[in-house]
Structures are given as structure tokens and as C-alpha cells.
Amino acid sequence: MTTQERQATQDPQVKKTVDIDWANLGFSYIRTDQRYLAHWRDGHWDEGHLTEDNQIHIAEGATALHYGQQCFEGLKAYRCKDGSINLFRPDRNAARMQDSCRRLLMPEISTEQFIEACRQVVRANEHFIPPYGTGGSFYLRPFLIGVGDNLGVRTAPEFLFSVFGVPVGPYFKGGLTPMNFITTSFDRAAPHGTGAAKVGGNYAASLMPGHEAKERKFADAIYLDPATHTKIEEVGAANFFAITRDGTTFVTPKSPSILPSITKYSLLWLAEHRLGLKVVEGDVRVDELDQFAEAGACGTAAVITPVGGIQHGEHFHVFHSETEPGPITRRLYDELTGIQFGDVEAPEGWIVKV
Ligand SMILES: *Cc1c(COP(=O)(O)O)cnc(C)c1O
């Protein structure tokens, strides 16, 4: 670091700027200035601190490296019209990380420490938060890993919790543009495995099916229920929803191997309370897609990506259109993103100001 840069970081009066083309951000790593790091040892978490170092030095026997003892989260900070910054339902991410920790025998991080870590990372990197109106946002990636000297299969002696952030554009380029997907015969999780926990192992299992789908020019793979392979579960790393032909009902799959998406449960609530739709969590049989007029993939990164069509075996099923989002999908998108960027009134507790 040069003397000039050091002065800039120490003098709070100096407003930092970065050279980023906000309108053309993708979803890729950009090193930002500060990240949060806390350490668990002797039965408790330390208070954590910010660091400029983006490398982690851990034991070669760390359980995170050998036995997949790790979990992560994803949430975003949004710049509002008035310049303030919103976090969207960070308490839900904290609660889900606690669920993932319990499933993998890792010590939970409290909701307070989780949200405080996110706040510190956003504040320390404020100049990286995309301006209002560019469509960009600041993606926060909390993660918790087993570390410390170890060899056998057991829970780690020590743990790290960290949060870093990256400015991002839409995950699938083009925003609300429909994408086509293809079902895979592989599973990302077992029927009573770790599908409902946000853990790296599920993602390792998804790399090859995702790669095969992309080689065939589809946006990603659709996972079916691992027990019978007859019902839709997930769309890549996003949840699935559909709107019935008569336009009255929002339907989303229910299964213990689906990762409970906070975006999905937010859309379910908005569909019922703001759009006046009926909402159903139930089976979506892959051979009965004719009953739906629209379909979408949803998640923090994907926001809502309309599903144009689904290839299943020899059959290609088109929903609303391969080029235009359906009308209800668009209304859900406008409502959700309006709330996130502070333009639409949020349900109680959904927005936490940084
Ligand atoms: C994170 C994730 C989602 C989306 O969850 P959100 O809380 O909406 O971001 C969906 N499916 C999988 C497999 C995930 O890991």
C-alpha cells in the first residue's frame, strides 16, 4: 500500500471512489477493501474484526478441506434513491446459517453478530455499492468453515466465520429475460441428505450436471426429487415456482431436499398478500407442466429468472414464451425489486438499514 492510499483509508473525510463500469457488472469476483473475520476457539466466537487481507491461512488437515464441513450464505445490500443502503431480510440468512451449522455440527453464529458483520463490511466498502438505478447491488457472502489441526472424520477443533462483499449485476445477463433449462438424471442432494442446508457439498455435486447443461446451451440443470425423479425440485442454484393456466395460483415445490430460498418465501408472501393469488407448496410433476402458464427460477443471485422452456428427455415444454416474461412473473419481479431498492413499501421487518 502506498503512503497516499494509507492516508486515504485513515482519513474519514476523504471520500473514496472506484473505477467500475456499474451498468455492465456481471457476477464475478472483485476484490473489495475490507472483509470481516471471526474465530471460534475454546467454546466461543471472538468479537471479529475487519481485515484487508483476502487470503485465509488454515491448517492442512482442516475439516472444511477434507470433509466438506462448511456452509455459506448469500444476501445483498441495495442502494436506495436517497443514498441509504438496505439489507433484505438478513435475519432469515442468519437463521438459515444456524440451521446449516446444526446439520454439520458446527457452532452457530448469533443473528446479532451475523448482521453486525454484514453491516461492517457494507460500511467499510461503501464506495463499492452500485449507485441507485444501475440495477447493480452489493452481494454479501458470509461463510463458516471448520479449521484447525485434524485427521479423522469428526467436527473441527476451531472454526472461522467470514463475510466478504462484491458489487454484482444480474446473475443471468439480461435481467428479466427468459432462459431455457434441462432436467438432469443426477441429484444434487439425497432424500434425507443435506439438500436443505446451504453447504458446499451440494454444489460440488451440481458442478458436472450444470456443466453438461451449459454444454447443451441451456442456462442450467433442473434437479428432480432424488427419490422418484418425477417432480421438479430446484433450478440450478435457485428455487422454482409456476403460475397456473387460469392465473389464480402460485405453486412451488415442497420437499426436505430443497434449499429453503428466502426469495421464494418472500415471493410466496407477496403473491398472496399483494397480488391476491392462491399459494400452494406441493408437488410439481415434470410430466404435468401443461397446467402452468408461467414459471420462474428465484434466488438472491438469480432474483427472478423467467423459465422460458424445460427440456425433459425428448420433450421441450414452453411456458409463457421463450423471449418475454409472463405478466404475473413481471408483477412479482417489480414488487420484490421495488421493496429491495426502497421504492415499494416493505412488509414489517423485511428491510434492515445499514
Ligand atoms: C441459496 C440457494 C437458493 C436461493 O436462496 P435465496 O435465499 O433466495 O438466495 C436456492 N437454491 C439453492 C440450492 C441455494 O443454495
Side-chain angles (χ1 to χ4, degrees):
M1 189 159 60
T2 67
T3 315
Q4 226 175 354
E5 282 172 334
R6 197 172 299 121
Q7 276 166 357
T9 45
Q10 281 170 1
D11 183 352
Q13 300 305 320
V14 178
K15 257 230 177 290
K16 289 203 269 178
T17 54
V18 284
D19 184 21
I20 290 176
D21 181 6
W22 302 113
N24 288 305
L25 277 173
F27 195 86
S28 26
Y29 183 78
I30 293 172
R31 181 178 172 175
T32 51
D33 287 353
Q34 306 271 355
R35 69 272 303 103
Y36 177 94
L37 192 62
H39 203 150
W40 186 93
R41 214 186 264 127
D42 302 329
H44 62 89
W45 289 104
D46 67 21
E47 64 178 22
H49 65 281
L50 290 175
T51 173
E52 290 189 358
D53 190 357
N54 73 335
Q55 304 291 316
I56 298 178
H57 191 75
I58 61 171
E60 60 189 350
T63 60
L65 298 176
H66 302 269
Y67 307 127
Q69 195 184 29
Q70 65 86 249
C71 65
F72 68 97
E73 276 300 325
L75 68 161
K76 283 173 171 173
Y78 305 84
R79 175 83 67 180
C80 304
K81 208 179 260 175
D82 66 3
S84 66
I85 299 169
N86 284 348
L87 294 175
F88 182 72
R89 311 190 77 180
D91 58 313
R92 301 319 307 152
N93 293 92
R96 189 169 65 191
M97 178 166 259
Q98 290 153 10
D99 292 344
S100 299
C101 283
R102 277 194 295 276
R103 181 66 179 79
L104 264 58
L105 278 187
M106 303 197 285
E108 293 170 33
I109 195 93
S110 72
T111 301
E112 295 68 38
Q113 189 167 5
F114 182 97
I115 295 177
E116 175 58 22
C118 293
R119 275 209 169 98
Q120 286 189 23
V121 172
V122 170
R123 286 194 188 123
N125 299 293
E126 221 209 297
H127 45 297
F128 285 99
I129 319 289
Y132 174 84
T134 59
S137 54
F138 190 70
Y139 183 80
L140 289 161
R141 169 54 63 84
F143 62 101
L144 199 154
I145 63 176
V147 297
D149 290 331
N150 183 65
L151 186 60
V153 180
R154 66 170 70 83
T155 188
E158 296 178 24
F159 295 85
L160 290 182
F161 170 67
S162 179
V163 181
F164 67 88
V166 177
V168 297
Y171 187 73
F172 295 112
K173 267 273 174 241
L176 205 54
T177 309
M179 300 273 179
N180 294 331
F181 297 86
I182 180 168
T183 58
T184 173
S185 53
F186 290 109
D187 300 317
R188 57 177 283 280
H192 301 285
T194 53
K198 206 166 176 78
V199 301
N202 301 336
Y203 277 77
S206 78
L207 288 173
M208 193 175 65
H211 176 74
E212 286 182 357
K214 282 160 203 160
E215 268 190 337
R216 295 187 58 183
K217 307 292 176 214
F218 291 92
D220 214 329
I222 288 193
Y223 295 94
L224 303 176
D225 70 292
T228 71
H229 278 207
T230 56
K231 297 170 277 187
I232 290 183
E233 293 221 330
E234 296 249 19
V235 187
N239 275 190
F240 179 84
F241 69 86
I243 308 295
T244 52
R245 280 225 162 274
D246 60 7
T248 64
T249 311
F250 175 102
V251 182
T252 187
K254 188 167 183 63
S255 151
S257 46
I258 292 177
L259 191 284
S261 156
I262 295 160
T263 313
K264 193 264 297 289
Y265 282 109
S266 302
L267 292 174
L268 190 117
W269 193 93
L270 294 171
E272 184 173 7
H273 295 95
R274 298 263 170 104
L275 272 60
L277 302 180
K278 281 181 280 192
V279 293
V280 176
E281 278 188 272
D283 292 343
V284 177
R285 293 187 55 94
V286 70
D287 59 4
E288 291 177 3
L289 297 177
D290 285 346
Q291 52 182 295
F292 301 111
E294 300 178 38
C298 61
T300 298
V303 193
I304 293 178
T305 296
V307 176
I310 294 177
Q311 183 81 41
H312 177 58
E314 296 299 300
H315 183 67
F316 185 65
H317 179 84
V318 176
F319 292 94
H320 179 74
S321 143
E322 279 185 80
T323 52
E324 291 298 319
I328 295 177
T329 303
R330 177 170 285 286
R331 282 174 66 199
L332 285 168
Y333 180 88
D334 290 344
E335 191 74 20
L336 177 72
T337 56
I339 289 169
Q340 291 168 332
F341 285 100
D343 295 327
V344 172
E345 196 195 337
E348 173 92 32
W350 281 23
I351 294 297
V352 172
K353 286 283 176 195
V354 170

